[in-house]
Amino acid sequence: MYRFLLTPRWWGINVFVVLAIPFCIFMGSWQLGRFEDRVQDHETASTQHESARREAARPLTELLPVDKATVGRQTTVTGRYDDQLLVPERKLDDREGFYVLSLLRTDGGKALPVVRGWLPGEPDPAKAPAPPTGEVTVTGALQAAESPGGNGVSSRSGWPAGQTGAISAATLLNLVPYDVYDAWVTLNEGDSGMRAVPVSAPQNTGLDLKAFQNLGYTAEWFAFVGFVIFMWFRLLRREVELARDAELGLVAQDGENGENGEDGASGETGESGDKADGDEADGEKTDGAGADGAKAGLVS
């Protein structure tokens, strides 16, 4: 009954199933690992931010370039404030507002973007307090450069003069005539009555939409495993039922159908021939009777 499993068609089906199941399990496990890595990065970043607040501030040059190990660390920089920009569409406690970003020119000539605080409402230069004059020393948490469209950063372009959508060297170099560090600092305490901007985790380390996409892909790959197994058993059951019906004679064979068809056709042809012969004989009898009648009429 199961001899059909040795046919080329079923060899192909079985090979596909044998390869598909481990592949789906591997992909599901890989996606699950990505999700677990993001959860671990999120927990590590949260712990790191708490411990960084208690550590002594270090010079900026010792913490560059910014990576997962240095983001959120306390740093101290000395310089003079120069240009000031506003960063719109930034939320704090579910309220819409904007950052006040001032560029601190260091002795080396490069400028460090410093977020001095957050203000509610629409970005307005008149609302933003002017930065302190003269040489200042700032202390705050080191942050990685932002990318448009990630971690709550707007992906818009074409901002009005005096505004920028993302805090990064790539965007600021088009707005100021001097070099800018590819990092920024948020002050521990807001300047001039503004609210301090909390430290944000670097991209791809939080429980964001991408993290839950990995979890969803995990479920999909394992669902594919169940689907492949279900379809294989369904096809097997169908083939077994067809083989059983054929053994019981419930499925007509092509050869038998052909013979029965020929016999039926022959029988019908014979019956038609006999009927035609009978009709012919009746016609002859009728003709004979008519001729006799005609003769009788002439005699009388």
Side-chain angles (χ1 to χ4, degrees), residues 41-150:
D41 289 342
H42 176 71
E43 295 176 352
T44 301
S46 300
T47 304
Q48 180 176 309
H49 294 162
E50 292 298 327
S51 61
R53 292 294 298 269
R54 297 188 294 268
E55 293 180 357
R58 297 167 57 185
L60 177 65
T61 54
E62 296 181 7
L63 300 176
L64 295 178
V66 183
D67 55 20
K68 292 181 180 180
T70 60
V71 68
R73 299 289 183 181
Q74 292 291 304
T75 185
T76 179
V77 188
T78 301
R80 295 175 181 270
Y81 282 117
D82 199 325
D83 294 278
Q84 181 162 285
L85 301 169
L86 304 181
V87 186
E89 298 184 5
R90 296 304 176 100
K91 288 185 176 182
L92 189 60
D93 296 336
D94 294 329
R95 295 179 62 191
E96 194 72 36
F98 59 95
Y99 293 168
V100 177
L101 175 69
S102 301
L103 295 171
L104 185 70
R105 297 286 299 273
T106 62
D107 295 337
K110 295 182 79 172
L112 176 67
V114 178
V115 174
R116 296 171 47 233
W118 175 89
L119 290 173
E122 294 296 325
D124 185 357
K127 296 180 181 179
T133 59
E135 188 174 79
V136 296
T137 299
V138 300
T139 301
L142 185 64
Q143 298 282 265
E146 297 179 334
S147 298

